[in-house]
Amino acid sequence: MNKNYKTLGIILLVVVALVVLAQLVSETPTDWNKNFSVSEKSPYGLYVFDKESNQLFNHKIKKIEVSPYSYYEENKETKPHNILLIEKNIDETSLDKILNQVSKGSDLMIVSEQIPEKIIDTLKVKQTDFNYSNDCMMYFTDEKLRSDSIIIEKNQNPAVFSKINFATTEILGDEYYDNKDEETLGSGAYFIKVKFGKGNVFLHSEPIVLTNYHLLKAENQKYIQDLFSFLPDRETIWFQKTYNETSSSPLRFIWANPPLRNAWLLFLGAVLVFILFNAKRRQRVVPIIEPLKNTSVDFIRSIGNLYMQEGDFHDMMAKKSQYFLSKVRTELLIDTQFLDEEFEKKLHLKTGKSPEMIKEAVVLIKKSLNPSSQVINEDLMTLNKVLNEILK
Protein backbone atom coordinates (compact mmCIF):
# COMPACT_ATOMS: atom_id res chain seq x y z
CA MET A 1 0.00 0.00 0.00
CA ASN A 2 1.18 3.52 -0.81
CA LYS A 3 2.72 5.32 2.17
CA ASN A 4 0.46 8.33 1.65
CA TYR A 5 -2.63 6.12 1.87
CA LYS A 6 -1.41 4.65 5.18
CA THR A 7 -0.88 8.13 6.60
CA LEU A 8 -4.34 9.26 5.45
CA GLY A 9 -5.94 6.16 6.99
CA ILE A 10 -4.22 6.70 10.34
CA ILE A 11 -5.29 10.36 10.43
CA LEU A 12 -8.87 9.38 9.64
CA LEU A 13 -8.97 6.77 12.43
CA VAL A 14 -7.55 9.24 14.96
CA VAL A 15 -10.14 11.89 14.01
CA VAL A 16 -13.00 9.36 14.26
CA ALA A 17 -11.77 8.21 17.67
CA LEU A 18 -11.61 11.82 18.91
CA VAL A 19 -15.14 12.56 17.68
CA VAL A 20 -16.55 9.41 19.33
CA LEU A 21 -14.75 10.24 22.57
CA ALA A 22 -16.06 13.81 22.53
CA GLN A 23 -19.61 12.54 22.04
CA LEU A 24 -19.26 10.08 24.91
CA VAL A 25 -18.08 12.66 27.42
CA SER A 26 -20.39 15.47 26.30
CA GLU A 27 -23.98 15.85 27.47
CA THR A 28 -26.76 16.08 24.90
CA PRO A 29 -28.59 19.41 25.40
CA THR A 30 -32.27 19.17 26.23
CA ASP A 31 -34.65 20.46 23.58
CA TRP A 32 -37.18 22.72 25.32
CA ASN A 33 -39.00 23.75 22.17
CA LYS A 34 -42.76 23.23 22.14
CA ASN A 35 -42.92 20.80 19.21
CA PHE A 36 -46.03 18.82 20.32
CA SER A 37 -44.87 15.91 18.16
CA VAL A 38 -45.93 12.33 18.88
CA SER A 39 -42.49 11.09 17.82
CA GLU A 40 -40.50 13.43 20.10
CA LYS A 41 -39.28 12.33 23.54
CA SER A 42 -38.20 15.88 24.41
CA PRO A 43 -39.98 17.59 27.37
CA TYR A 44 -42.64 19.24 25.21
CA GLY A 45 -43.27 16.34 22.85
CA LEU A 46 -46.36 14.09 22.89
CA TYR A 47 -44.59 10.73 22.78
CA VAL A 48 -45.90 9.52 26.17
CA PHE A 49 -49.44 10.75 25.50
CA ASP A 50 -49.47 8.99 22.14
CA LYS A 51 -48.39 5.70 23.73
CA GLU A 52 -50.90 5.97 26.58
CA SER A 53 -53.82 7.28 24.51
CA ASN A 54 -55.30 3.84 23.77
CA GLN A 55 -55.66 3.05 27.47
CA LEU A 56 -56.76 6.60 28.30
CA PHE A 57 -59.65 6.40 25.80
CA ASN A 58 -60.59 2.77 26.61
CA HIS A 59 -59.09 1.53 23.31
CA LYS A 60 -61.65 3.54 21.36
CA ILE A 61 -59.27 6.08 19.85
CA LYS A 62 -58.61 6.27 16.12
CA LYS A 63 -55.50 8.18 14.98
CA ILE A 64 -55.87 9.87 11.61
CA GLU A 65 -53.05 11.51 9.63
CA VAL A 66 -55.10 12.92 6.76
CA SER A 67 -57.00 16.19 6.86
CA PRO A 68 -60.49 16.19 8.40
CA TYR A 69 -61.88 17.25 5.02
CA SER A 70 -60.40 14.18 3.29
CA TYR A 71 -61.47 11.88 6.11
CA TYR A 72 -65.11 13.01 6.19
CA GLU A 73 -65.31 13.03 2.40
CA GLU A 74 -64.49 9.32 2.47
CA ASN A 75 -66.59 8.60 5.57
CA LYS A 76 -69.78 10.56 5.04
CA GLU A 77 -72.05 8.21 7.05
CA THR A 78 -70.57 8.50 10.56
CA LYS A 79 -72.19 8.07 13.94
CA PRO A 80 -71.74 10.75 16.65
CA HIS A 81 -68.17 10.52 17.97
CA ASN A 82 -65.46 12.51 19.70
CA ILE A 83 -62.99 14.65 17.74
CA LEU A 84 -59.59 15.56 19.21
CA LEU A 85 -57.24 18.28 17.94
CA ILE A 86 -53.97 19.00 19.79
CA GLU A 87 -51.98 22.06 18.66
CA LYS A 88 -52.78 21.38 15.01
CA ASN A 89 -52.97 23.89 12.19
CA ILE A 90 -56.14 23.22 10.26
CA ASP A 91 -57.75 24.81 7.22
CA GLU A 92 -61.21 26.39 7.27
CA THR A 93 -62.67 23.78 4.90
CA SER A 94 -61.72 21.02 7.34
CA LEU A 95 -63.12 23.08 10.25
CA ASP A 96 -66.43 23.35 8.40
CA LYS A 97 -66.51 19.55 8.11
CA ILE A 98 -65.76 19.19 11.84
CA LEU A 99 -68.37 21.73 12.93
CA ASN A 100 -70.90 19.97 10.73
CA GLN A 101 -70.20 16.75 12.65
CA VAL A 102 -70.54 18.58 15.97
CA SER A 103 -73.88 20.05 14.97
CA LYS A 104 -75.11 16.49 14.34
CA GLY A 105 -74.16 15.30 17.85
CA SER A 106 -70.39 14.79 17.91
CA ASP A 107 -68.14 16.43 20.52
CA LEU A 108 -64.98 18.37 19.63
CA MET A 109 -62.06 19.00 21.99
CA ILE A 110 -59.33 21.44 20.90
CA VAL A 111 -56.23 21.62 23.08
CA SER A 112 -54.17 24.50 21.70
CA GLU A 113 -52.52 27.71 22.83
CA GLN A 114 -54.20 29.59 19.99
CA ILE A 115 -57.69 28.43 19.05
CA PRO A 116 -58.40 28.76 15.28
CA GLU A 117 -59.99 32.08 14.39
CA LYS A 118 -62.94 30.38 12.71
CA ILE A 119 -63.79 28.55 15.94
CA ILE A 120 -63.41 31.76 17.95
CA ASP A 121 -65.72 33.66 15.60
CA THR A 122 -68.28 30.88 15.30
CA LEU A 123 -68.57 30.31 19.06
CA LYS A 124 -68.36 34.06 19.83
CA VAL A 125 -65.58 33.78 22.41
CA LYS A 126 -62.37 35.74 22.79
CA GLN A 127 -58.82 34.85 23.85
CA THR A 128 -56.49 37.11 25.83
CA ASP A 129 -52.85 36.57 26.80
CA PHE A 130 -52.52 35.56 30.44
CA ASN A 131 -49.06 36.55 31.67
CA TYR A 132 -47.68 35.47 35.02
CA SER A 133 -44.16 35.50 36.46
CA ASN A 134 -44.67 32.72 39.02
CA ASP A 135 -45.99 29.18 38.95
CA CYS A 136 -49.66 28.77 38.10
CA MET A 137 -52.18 26.21 39.36
CA MET A 138 -54.77 24.90 36.90
CA TYR A 139 -57.87 23.33 38.42
CA PHE A 140 -61.35 22.19 37.41
CA THR A 141 -64.36 24.19 38.55
CA ASP A 142 -66.21 20.99 39.42
CA GLU A 143 -65.85 20.56 43.20
CA LYS A 144 -65.43 16.78 42.81
CA LEU A 145 -62.41 17.29 40.57
CA ARG A 146 -60.97 20.41 42.18
CA SER A 147 -58.28 18.53 44.07
CA ASP A 148 -56.91 17.02 40.85
CA SER A 149 -55.07 20.19 39.89
CA ILE A 150 -51.82 20.64 38.00
CA ILE A 151 -48.99 23.14 38.46
CA ILE A 152 -47.60 24.94 35.41
CA GLU A 153 -44.18 26.58 35.65
CA LYS A 154 -43.85 30.35 35.34
CA ASN A 155 -43.48 32.31 32.12
CA GLN A 156 -45.62 29.99 30.00
CA ASN A 157 -47.91 32.90 29.00
CA PRO A 158 -50.99 30.96 27.84
CA ALA A 159 -54.15 32.55 26.50
CA VAL A 160 -57.37 32.51 28.51
CA PHE A 161 -60.96 33.10 27.46
CA SER A 162 -61.98 36.62 28.37
CA LYS A 163 -65.27 36.95 26.46
CA ILE A 164 -67.83 34.28 27.26
CA ASN A 165 -71.55 33.93 26.54
CA PHE A 166 -72.76 32.21 29.70
CA ALA A 167 -76.03 31.25 28.01
CA THR A 168 -74.21 28.67 25.86
CA THR A 169 -70.81 28.41 27.57
CA GLU A 170 -69.68 26.71 30.77
CA ILE A 171 -66.31 27.28 32.45
CA LEU A 172 -64.73 23.93 33.27
CA GLY A 173 -61.22 25.01 34.29
CA ASP A 174 -59.60 28.07 35.89
CA GLU A 175 -55.98 29.15 36.33
CA TYR A 176 -54.85 30.63 39.64
CA TYR A 177 -51.55 32.37 40.31
CA ASP A 178 -50.00 34.28 43.17
CA ASN A 179 -48.05 37.30 41.89
CA LYS A 180 -45.63 37.79 44.76
CA ASP A 181 -43.96 40.77 43.13
CA GLU A 182 -47.19 42.81 43.00
CA GLU A 183 -48.91 41.12 45.97
CA THR A 184 -52.00 40.40 43.87
CA LEU A 185 -53.94 37.33 42.89
CA GLY A 186 -55.21 36.53 39.41
CA SER A 187 -57.19 33.89 37.59
CA GLY A 188 -58.52 33.13 34.14
CA ALA A 189 -60.69 30.56 32.38
CA TYR A 190 -58.53 28.24 30.29
CA PHE A 191 -61.00 25.35 29.78
CA ILE A 192 -64.57 25.95 28.57
CA LYS A 193 -67.44 24.03 27.06
CA VAL A 194 -69.65 25.61 24.37
CA LYS A 195 -72.93 24.15 23.16
CA PHE A 196 -73.07 23.91 19.35
CA GLY A 197 -76.05 22.28 17.66
CA LYS A 198 -76.58 18.80 19.09
CA GLY A 199 -72.97 18.54 20.23
CA ASN A 200 -70.40 20.39 22.31
CA VAL A 201 -67.06 22.09 21.70
CA PHE A 202 -64.43 21.87 24.46
CA LEU A 203 -61.64 24.47 24.27
CA HIS A 204 -58.46 24.01 26.35
CA SER A 205 -55.77 26.70 25.93
CA GLU A 206 -52.85 24.93 27.66
CA PRO A 207 -51.59 21.93 25.62
CA ILE A 208 -48.36 21.53 27.61
CA VAL A 209 -50.34 19.56 30.22
CA LEU A 210 -50.29 16.70 27.70
CA THR A 211 -46.54 16.79 27.07
CA ASN A 212 -43.93 14.31 28.28
CA TYR A 213 -42.68 16.70 30.94
CA HIS A 214 -46.00 16.76 32.81
CA LEU A 215 -47.28 13.26 32.05
CA LEU A 216 -44.19 11.64 33.55
CA LYS A 217 -45.09 13.22 36.90
CA ALA A 218 -47.33 10.80 38.81
CA GLU A 219 -49.28 13.61 40.52
CA ASN A 220 -50.47 14.95 37.13
CA GLN A 221 -51.90 11.72 35.71
CA LYS A 222 -55.21 12.08 37.53
CA TYR A 223 -55.68 15.54 36.00
CA ILE A 224 -55.29 14.13 32.46
CA GLN A 225 -57.83 11.39 33.18
CA ASP A 226 -60.30 13.96 34.49
CA LEU A 227 -59.73 16.20 31.47
CA PHE A 228 -60.84 13.59 28.94
CA SER A 229 -63.62 12.29 31.18
CA PHE A 230 -65.70 15.23 29.92
CA LEU A 231 -65.92 13.44 26.56
CA PRO A 232 -68.50 10.64 26.20
CA ASP A 233 -67.20 7.07 26.30
CA ARG A 234 -67.30 6.40 22.54
CA GLU A 235 -65.03 6.39 19.51
CA THR A 236 -62.57 9.29 19.50
CA ILE A 237 -60.92 10.44 16.28
CA TRP A 238 -57.58 12.14 16.84
CA PHE A 239 -56.39 14.17 13.86
CA GLN A 240 -52.65 14.18 14.42
CA LYS A 241 -49.93 16.33 12.97
CA THR A 242 -48.66 14.92 9.68
CA TYR A 243 -45.48 16.94 9.21
CA ASN A 244 -42.02 16.02 10.52
CA GLU A 245 -43.36 13.01 12.36
CA THR A 246 -41.46 10.09 10.87
CA SER A 247 -38.86 10.48 8.17
CA SER A 248 -39.06 8.06 5.26
CA SER A 249 -35.30 8.24 4.73
CA PRO A 250 -33.34 5.00 5.29
CA LEU A 251 -30.82 7.13 7.23
CA ARG A 252 -33.42 8.41 9.72
CA PHE A 253 -31.89 6.38 12.60
CA ILE A 254 -28.46 7.88 11.93
CA TRP A 255 -29.84 11.44 11.69
CA ALA A 256 -31.82 10.95 14.92
CA ASN A 257 -28.63 10.21 16.89
CA PRO A 258 -26.04 13.03 17.00
CA PRO A 259 -22.98 10.75 17.47
CA LEU A 260 -23.94 8.61 14.48
CA ARG A 261 -24.82 11.69 12.45
CA ASN A 262 -21.44 13.30 13.13
CA ALA A 263 -19.60 10.08 12.32
CA TRP A 264 -21.53 9.74 9.07
CA LEU A 265 -20.76 13.31 8.01
CA LEU A 266 -17.11 12.82 8.88
CA PHE A 267 -17.01 9.63 6.81
CA LEU A 268 -18.56 11.38 3.82
CA GLY A 269 -16.08 14.25 4.15
CA ALA A 270 -13.13 11.84 4.31
CA VAL A 271 -14.38 9.98 1.23
CA LEU A 272 -14.74 13.27 -0.65
CA VAL A 273 -11.19 14.36 0.28
CA PHE A 274 -9.83 10.96 -0.74
CA ILE A 275 -11.59 11.12 -4.11
CA LEU A 276 -10.32 14.65 -4.80
CA PHE A 277 -6.69 13.86 -3.97
CA ASN A 278 -6.76 10.46 -5.67
CA ALA A 279 -8.31 11.86 -8.84
CA LYS A 280 -5.77 14.67 -8.98
CA ARG A 281 -2.79 12.30 -8.62
CA ARG A 282 -4.01 9.75 -11.18
CA GLN A 283 -5.31 12.03 -13.89
CA ARG A 284 -3.67 11.22 -17.20
CA VAL A 285 -2.31 13.85 -19.54
CA VAL A 286 -4.86 14.65 -22.21
CA PRO A 287 -3.09 14.76 -25.60
CA ILE A 288 -3.60 17.85 -27.73
CA ILE A 289 -5.04 16.85 -31.11
CA GLU A 290 -4.55 19.41 -33.81
CA PRO A 291 -7.66 19.90 -35.96
CA LEU A 292 -7.46 19.01 -39.63
CA LYS A 293 -6.45 21.97 -41.77
CA ASN A 294 -8.64 23.10 -44.64
CA THR A 295 -6.35 22.85 -47.72
CA SER A 296 -9.03 23.63 -50.27
CA VAL A 297 -7.74 27.16 -50.83
CA ASP A 298 -4.18 25.92 -51.21
CA PHE A 299 -5.34 23.31 -53.70
CA ILE A 300 -7.24 25.85 -55.77
CA ARG A 301 -4.29 28.23 -55.67
CA SER A 302 -1.99 25.45 -56.86
CA ILE A 303 -4.29 24.53 -59.74
CA GLY A 304 -4.64 28.20 -60.71
CA ASN A 305 -0.88 28.67 -60.70
CA LEU A 306 -0.50 25.57 -62.86
CA TYR A 307 -2.88 26.94 -65.49
CA MET A 308 -1.15 30.34 -65.40
CA GLN A 309 2.25 28.76 -65.82
CA GLU A 310 1.04 26.69 -68.77
CA GLY A 311 -0.60 29.77 -70.35
CA ASP A 312 -3.74 27.86 -71.36
CA PHE A 313 -6.11 30.79 -70.97
CA HIS A 314 -8.66 29.35 -73.41
CA ASP A 315 -9.20 26.18 -71.33
CA MET A 316 -9.58 28.23 -68.14
CA MET A 317 -12.15 30.49 -69.81
CA ALA A 318 -14.07 27.46 -71.11
CA LYS A 319 -14.22 25.88 -67.61
CA LYS A 320 -15.28 29.18 -66.04
CA SER A 321 -18.02 29.57 -68.68
CA GLN A 322 -19.25 26.00 -68.19
CA TYR A 323 -19.37 26.51 -64.43
CA PHE A 324 -21.33 29.76 -64.91
CA LEU A 325 -23.84 28.16 -67.29
CA SER A 326 -24.34 25.25 -64.87
CA LYS A 327 -25.17 27.70 -62.09
CA VAL A 328 -27.62 29.51 -64.38
CA ARG A 329 -29.41 26.27 -65.21
CA THR A 330 -29.61 24.91 -61.63
CA GLU A 331 -30.19 28.08 -59.64
CA LEU A 332 -31.86 30.49 -62.09
CA LEU A 333 -33.65 27.74 -64.08
CA ILE A 334 -32.74 29.28 -67.46
CA ASP A 335 -32.12 27.12 -70.50
CA THR A 336 -28.52 27.61 -71.75
CA GLN A 337 -28.76 25.62 -74.97
CA PHE A 338 -29.06 28.75 -77.09
CA LEU A 339 -27.18 31.86 -76.02
CA ASP A 340 -29.42 34.22 -77.97
CA GLU A 341 -31.36 37.39 -77.24
CA GLU A 342 -34.05 35.40 -75.40
CA PHE A 343 -31.37 33.99 -73.09
CA GLU A 344 -29.94 37.46 -72.50
CA LYS A 345 -33.40 38.84 -71.68
CA LYS A 346 -34.16 36.08 -69.16
CA LEU A 347 -30.74 36.42 -67.51
CA HIS A 348 -31.25 40.17 -67.27
CA LEU A 349 -34.65 39.73 -65.59
CA LYS A 350 -33.44 37.06 -63.17
CA THR A 351 -30.21 38.78 -62.06
CA GLY A 352 -31.19 42.44 -62.44
CA LYS A 353 -27.88 43.24 -64.10
CA SER A 354 -27.63 45.72 -66.95
CA PRO A 355 -28.23 44.49 -70.55
CA GLU A 356 -24.75 45.72 -71.50
CA MET A 357 -23.09 43.57 -68.85
CA ILE A 358 -25.20 40.56 -69.88
CA LYS A 359 -24.31 41.17 -73.55
CA GLU A 360 -20.58 41.39 -72.74
CA ALA A 361 -20.74 38.16 -70.69
CA VAL A 362 -22.50 36.26 -73.52
CA VAL A 363 -19.90 37.42 -76.07
CA LEU A 364 -17.02 36.25 -73.87
CA ILE A 365 -18.75 32.92 -73.09
CA LYS A 366 -19.26 32.21 -76.82
CA LYS A 367 -15.63 33.11 -77.44
CA SER A 368 -14.42 30.76 -74.71
CA LEU A 369 -16.59 27.89 -75.96
CA ASN A 370 -15.34 28.29 -79.56
CA PRO A 371 -12.25 26.05 -79.91
CA SER A 372 -10.91 28.04 -82.85
CA SER A 373 -11.06 31.46 -81.16
CA GLN A 374 -7.96 33.18 -79.88
CA VAL A 375 -7.99 34.42 -76.28
CA ILE A 376 -5.48 36.29 -74.18
CA ASN A 377 -4.94 36.87 -70.47
CA GLU A 378 -7.03 40.08 -70.51
CA ASP A 379 -10.01 38.12 -71.92
CA LEU A 380 -9.77 35.65 -69.00
CA MET A 381 -9.59 38.46 -66.44
CA THR A 382 -12.56 40.29 -67.97
CA LEU A 383 -14.67 37.11 -68.17
CA ASN A 384 -13.94 36.22 -64.53
CA LYS A 385 -14.86 39.74 -63.35
CA VAL A 386 -18.11 39.95 -65.35
CA LEU A 387 -19.36 36.46 -64.44
CA ASN A 388 -18.62 36.99 -60.72
CA GLU A 389 -20.51 40.29 -60.82
CA ILE A 390 -23.56 38.62 -62.42
CA LEU A 391 -23.61 35.79 -59.86
CA LYS A 392 -23.52 38.12 -56.83
Side-chain angles (χ1 to χ4, degrees), residues 220-255:
N220 294 337
Q221 295 175 5
K222 192 66 172 66
Y223 174 89
I224 302 303
Q225 295 175 4
D226 293 342
L227 173 63
F228 293 106
S229 67
F230 288 95
L231 294 174
D233 185 14
R234 59 187 178 186
E235 182 185 45
T236 298
I237 298 177
W238 178 13
F239 291 101
Q240 295 183 338
K241 284 187 177 181
T242 57
Y243 54 88
N244 295 332
E245 292 297 337
T246 302
S247 172
S248 59
S249 170
L251 298 176
R252 59 182 179 274
F253 180 75
I254 293 178
W255 291 117

Side-chain angles (χ1 to χ4, degrees), residues 291-327:
L292 296 176
K293 294 182 178 180
N294 187 354
T295 59
S296 301
V297 175
D298 295 336
F299 175 74
I300 293 173
R301 184 177 293 111
S302 298
I303 296 300
N305 291 335
L306 179 61
Y307 274 97
M308 293 297 293
Q309 291 173 6
E310 292 294 329
D312 194 354
F313 305 117
H314 191 282
D315 187 37
M316 291 184 69
M317 286 182 66
K319 285 183 168 53
K320 181 67 176 179
S321 298
Q322 290 170 357
Y323 173 75
F324 173 77
L325 294 176
S326 176
K327 294 275 287 183

Side-chain angles (χ1 to χ4, degrees), residues 18 25 100 118 122 134 160 190 193 268 313 347 359:
L18 291 176
V25 299
N100 182 54
K118 184 173 182 62
T122 302
N134 295 298
V160 296
Y190 71 92
K193 171 185 175 182
L268 292 181
F313 305 117
L347 187 59
K359 184 69 174 178

Side-chain angles (χ1 to χ4, degrees), residues 371-386:
S372 60
S373 62
Q374 296 294 325
V375 298
I376 59 176
N377 185 27
E378 285 73 11
D379 294 333
L380 174 61
M381 299 298 290
T382 303
L383 176 68
N384 183 66
K385 180 180 179 182
V386 173

Side-chain angles (χ1 to χ4, degrees), residues 15 42 46 184 298 316 330 391:
V15 173
S42 56
L46 297 178
T184 59
D298 295 336
M316 291 184 69
T330 57
L391 290 176

